[in-house]
């Protein structure tokens, strides 16, 4: 039995550092560019591996050099890549502009991720059954996410659904199958149709999701930290104070770190504190997967070293 199966996207990110995010019609000069491994699913799998979880990834890449490079990045992080298929589409790509405050703007070209469809996921039911926790995002076809949720529920797996990138409301039938829903502020607002401009509004929006059947909402609030809302409580876990360089994959690192500690039997409080620390380290470094810290680095951060 493995701890975590991540079902989701793999993208090669073309990262371009700029003084600010270009406005429509504006041309500006970049200061740095690099191809770095990314994709929300792959980032979460990579983080789970680097942070010490036993993790596998189910997804799809193309038969090209980007696909090979993404597989290598996950293998180096200790992730089981044997469930990642290869197809004739190009490997997923993302163009990411990173501004001087670490904020970003992203365009995704899904490519092979579209072939991670419902039939592909259903063929791996035994692998889902052999996983304590299934982690999902929204960069593969929606029907594939629904199939994964159904199978995870059937086999009693814990489910973490990171509803990113931003989508509209999800049906209650989906929400009922989710143990931990982890939107950022924008996603929380889009999921509920409610404004999320302050902590009180975030709590109200999260409560409306609990009323629809989600067991626990764990909203990430960027530099403010993370908000836990269950039927019993709401509690803000403040972020660690760091100087952000590039926030890409902060949410992915947070999700995986939380799942790793929960799989180890930690309390929710311990898991969220650990996730805040790992995500804070990730924002101090450029890129998605290269920014994800190791377990030792995260433990050191928590001990104030
Ligand atoms: P992304 O899409 O860029 O990966 P996100 O929007 O999904 O990120 P955020 O809410 O921005 O997710 O951040 C996730 C977590 O990362 C936060 O809950 C927090 O723990 C940490 N974090 C993000 N930004 C900062 C920051 N400036 N300082 C410290 N921690 C941060
Ligand atoms: O969450 C960050 C990721 O979103 C990037 O790595 C990019 O590939 C996009 O999918």
């Amino acid at each position: 039995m493995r701890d975590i199966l991540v079902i989701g996207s793999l993208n090669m990110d073309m990262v371009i550092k700029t003084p600010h995010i270009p406005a429509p019609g504006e041309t500006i000069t970049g200061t740095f560019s690099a191809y770095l491994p990314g994709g929300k699913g792959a980032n979460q799998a990579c983080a789970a591996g680097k942070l010490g979880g036993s993790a596998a990834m189910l997804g799809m890449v193309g038969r090209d050099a980007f696909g090979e490079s993404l597989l290598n990045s996950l293998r180096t992080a200790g992730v089981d890549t044997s469930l990642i298929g290869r197809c004739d589409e190009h490997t997923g790509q993302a163009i990411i502009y990173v501004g001087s405050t670490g904020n970003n703007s992203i365009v995704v070209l899904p490519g092979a991720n579209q072939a991670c469809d419902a039939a592909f996921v259903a063929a791996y039911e035994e692998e889902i059954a052999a996983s304590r926790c299934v982690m999902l995002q929204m960069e593969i076809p929606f029907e594939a996410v629904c199939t994964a949720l159904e199978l995870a529920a059937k086999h009693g797996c814990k489910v973490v659904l990171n509803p990113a990138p931003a989508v509209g409301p999800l049906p209650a039938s989906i929400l009922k199958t989710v143990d931990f829903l982890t939107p950022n502020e924008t996603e929380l607002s889009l999921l509920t149709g409610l404004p999320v401009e302050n902590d009180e509004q975030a709590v109200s929006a999260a409560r409306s999701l609990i009323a629809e059947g989600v067991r626990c909402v764990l909203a990430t609030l960027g530099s403010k930290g993370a908000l836990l809302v269950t039927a019993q409580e709401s509690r803000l876990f403040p972020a660690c104070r760091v100087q952000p360089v590039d926030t890409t994959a902060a949410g992915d690192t947070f999700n995986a770190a939380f799942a790793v500690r929960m799989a180890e039997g930690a309390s929710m409080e311990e898991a969220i504190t650990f996730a805040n620390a790992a995500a804070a380290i990730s924002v101090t470094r450029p890129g998605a997967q290269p920014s994800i810290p190791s377990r030792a680095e995260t433990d050191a951060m928590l001990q104030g070293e």
Side-chain angles (χ1 to χ4, degrees):
M1 193 92 175
R2 72 172 71 85
D3 289 341
I4 298 168
L5 176 65
V6 179
I7 305 177
S9 59
L10 302 97
N11 297 329
M12 182 54 75
D13 294 346
M14 184 186 193
V15 180
I16 303 172
K17 282 217 85 165
T18 57
H20 60 267
I21 306 295
E26 187 183 19
T27 301
I28 58 173
T29 303
T31 54
F32 164 89
S33 80
Y35 285 101
L36 299 172
K40 290 185 189 301
N43 295 343
Q44 293 180 16
C46 178
K50 280 190 176 182
L51 293 166
S54 63
M57 171 141 197
L58 179 58
M60 193 68 93
V61 293
R63 297 178 217 284
D64 49 29
F66 283 166
E68 200 52 47
S69 171
L70 285 162
L71 293 176
N72 280 336
S73 179
L74 292 184
R75 285 187 199 115
T76 305
V79 177
D80 174 0
T81 59
S82 62
L83 312 179
I84 299 176
R86 301 195 81 154
C87 67
D88 291 335
E89 279 292 328
H90 69 80
T91 293
Q93 293 172 40
I95 314 295
I96 306 183
Y97 294 111
V98 180
S100 59
T101 59
N103 58 333
N104 64 31
S105 184
I106 304 181
V107 177
V108 173
L109 301 159
N113 293 307
Q114 289 295 114
C116 181
D117 57 16
F120 179 72
V121 169
Y124 287 94
E125 178 169 352
E126 278 179 26
E127 298 293 341
I128 292 172
S131 309
R132 286 188 189 85
C133 170
V134 171
M135 292 186 74
L136 295 153
Q137 327 72 35
M138 308 293 284
E139 279 189 341
I140 54 173
F142 181 62
E143 296 70 32
V145 174
C146 295
T147 299
L149 287 169
E150 270 167 36
L151 294 174
K154 177 176 167 189
H155 294 288
C157 316
K158 284 270 179 246
V159 171
V160 178
L161 175 61
N162 178 214
V167 286
L170 291 172
S173 56
I174 294 280
L175 294 174
K176 283 192 175 70
T177 63
V178 177
D179 293 289
F180 302 103
L181 187 72
T182 59
N184 66 14
E185 289 157 294
T186 311
E187 291 145 6
L188 183 55
S189 179
L190 277 161
L191 282 168
T192 58
L194 296 169
V196 179
E197 277 147 29
N198 55 47
D199 293 356
E200 278 128 50
Q201 289 180 344
V203 172
S204 300
R207 287 211 170 113
S208 75
L209 293 168
I210 299 290
E212 287 196 70
V214 177
R215 284 181 266 285
C216 174
V217 175
L218 185 50
T220 59
L221 308 179
S223 60
K224 283 187 277 169
L227 175 71
L228 169 69
V229 179
T230 65
Q232 290 77 38
E233 64 167 335
S234 72
R235 183 169 160 196
L236 179 70
F237 290 74
C240 305
R241 290 174 77 89
V242 293
Q243 192 62 44
V245 166
D246 178 354
T247 63
T248 311
D252 299 328
T253 305
F254 181 95
N255 274 274
F258 174 75
V260 165
R261 289 295 284 130
M262 290 300 283
E264 289 173 356
S267 67
M268 234 150 32
E269 289 74 12
E270 287 168 330
I272 297 169
T273 303
F274 182 79
N276 267 338
I281 298 172
S282 79
V283 307
T284 65
R285 301 168 176 171
Q289 290 173 34
S291 74
I292 297 166
S294 67
R295 179 62 175 258
E297 287 174 304
T298 308
D299 287 340
M301 171 99 165
L302 283 170
Q303 283 155 21
E305 288 166 18

